[in-house]
Amino acid sequence: MIKSTVNISSVKTAIEKCINEAVNVNMNLGSTKFVSYKGKITNVYPALFTVSPYGEFNGKTSFSYSEVCCGNVIIKRYKNV
């Protein structure tokens, strides 16, 4: 079993710092399938957070902190260059 180097409380505080900021969302759907999109973290709740996607993306927009902790969802700040 692989032990995670982060815990849910540290993931939650990192997500709370990114509220109302543009982020890149990368989701692992399994079987070598990945989905990526850009959006903005709109709300933070005790068990999950929501992302409002830019454009016409119709995918999943709420995630639990455990999905980020396990590596199924990767959130990175998006910077306009």
Side-chain angles (χ1 to χ4, degrees):
M1 180 172 164
I2 299 173
K3 292 186 178 181
S4 177
T5 59
V6 295
N7 57 18
I8 292 180
S9 62
S10 65
V11 169
K12 186 174 180 179
T13 56
I15 295 294
E16 287 174 344
K17 290 179 183 177
C18 295
I19 195 162
N20 291 325
E21 291 189 16
V23 292
N24 284 334
V25 179
N26 296 317
M27 295 186 301
N28 182 357
L29 302 177
S31 183
T32 67
K33 296 178 187 170
F34 294 91
V35 173
S36 298
Y37 65 90
K38 294 179 180 72
K40 179 174 77 168
I41 297 177
T42 54
N43 291 316
V44 175
Y45 300 104
L48 56 91
F49 62 96
T50 58
V51 178
S52 293
Y54 297 142
E56 297 181 13
F57 182 77
N58 293 325
K60 184 177 178 182
T61 60
S62 64
F63 304 99
S64 68
Y65 301 110
S66 62
E67 289 178 307
V68 176
C69 188
C70 293
N72 293 335
V73 175
I74 299 171
I75 304 290
K76 292 184 180 179
R77 286 185 180 169
Y78 177 72
K79 296 181 181 178
N80 292 333
V81 178

